Amino acid sequence: MDEVKDAELVVSLMLRMRACVRKYKSHSDDGGKIFTILGSLRDYETRTGRPVTVSEIARHSGLALPNVSRLLKPLEEDGYIRREKQGRTVSVIITAKGEHTLVQHRKEFISDVAEALGALSDEERKIFLTCNEKMLARLEKKTENLIGR
């Protein structure tokens, strides 16, 4: 088994999947910006059980704190998110409007992904999801270490 060739194939698959996500995002008026941000916020909440903080967004994205605040401001002004301050910590909360928008944007995409998963048997789907979670956890840990440098 050649791990380098396998890694090249995985990178190719990731890039192709990213291209598919971009195509779905391009159907929206804002080029998918709202879908991407709200989806990322929701994913973080789902994985950690709490809303993401502005500081965490800055740390993970590599953006300066003022830049993160500047990028979030239009979403807050349009009512998709709100910032909630507790002491020195500022959490980013998805509003009801943001939740509705996220559901609408994700609906078609999730339906198509579910259809694609239907090509796999239950066992294949389980293996696929387990393996991807393991790989992604390692890649996320590696990129976190890179950001911390």
Side-chain angles (χ1 to χ4, degrees), residues 32 39 91 98 100 126:
S91 296
H100 176 75
K126 183 178 177 181

Side-chain angles (χ1 to χ4, degrees), residues 1-119:
M1 186 175 267
D2 187 349
E3 287 184 12
V4 173
K5 281 188 177 189
D6 289 347
E8 287 174 358
L9 179 58
V10 168
V11 168
S12 173
L13 291 170
M14 290 174 150
L15 293 172
R16 288 169 53 202
M17 284 186 179
R18 184 177 178 196
C20 286
V21 172
R22 269 199 207 118
K23 287 176 185 173
Y24 277 93
K25 291 182 342 183
S26 70
H27 290 298
S28 65
D29 293 339
D30 68 341
K33 181 177 163 186
I34 294 171
F35 172 72
T36 301
I37 294 171
L38 294 178
S40 296
L41 294 173
R42 173 60 69 233
D43 182 61
Y44 185 91
E45 285 181 10
T46 301
R47 287 185 294 114
T48 65
R50 63 179 177 75
V52 68
T53 66
V54 174
S55 298
E56 289 169 326
I57 294 171
R59 188 175 68 247
H60 289 290
S61 67
L63 296 171
L65 208 52
N67 289 340
V68 171
S69 290
R70 183 179 50 79
L71 291 170
L72 292 175
K73 189 174 182 175
L75 291 173
E76 188 173 25
E77 288 172 349
D78 290 341
Y80 295 110
I81 63 168
R82 74 175 192 281
R83 292 184 231 200
E84 201 171 87
K85 190 171 183 175
Q86 296 172 341
R88 292 171 42 129
T89 303
V90 179
S91 296
V92 181
I93 312 294
I94 299 174
T95 64
K97 178 181 178 179
E99 189 65 41
H100 176 75
T101 302
L102 179 59
V103 168
Q104 293 302 93
H105 282 167
R106 289 178 59 142
K107 199 174 195 177
E108 177 187 354
F109 187 56
I110 287 175
S111 174
D112 288 345
V113 171
E115 182 183 329
L117 283 171

Side-chain angles (χ1 to χ4, degrees), residues 112-142:
D112 288 345
V113 171
E115 182 183 329
L117 283 171
L120 304 176
S121 69
D122 288 345
E123 183 65 23
E124 288 171 326
R125 188 170 35 246
K126 183 178 177 181
I127 292 168
F128 172 79
L129 295 172
T130 301
C131 292
N132 275 281
E133 283 290 336
K134 276 185 175 181
M135 285 179 53
L136 188 55
R138 280 220 168 158
L139 288 171
E140 286 173 334
K141 187 172 183 137
K142 180 81 172 180

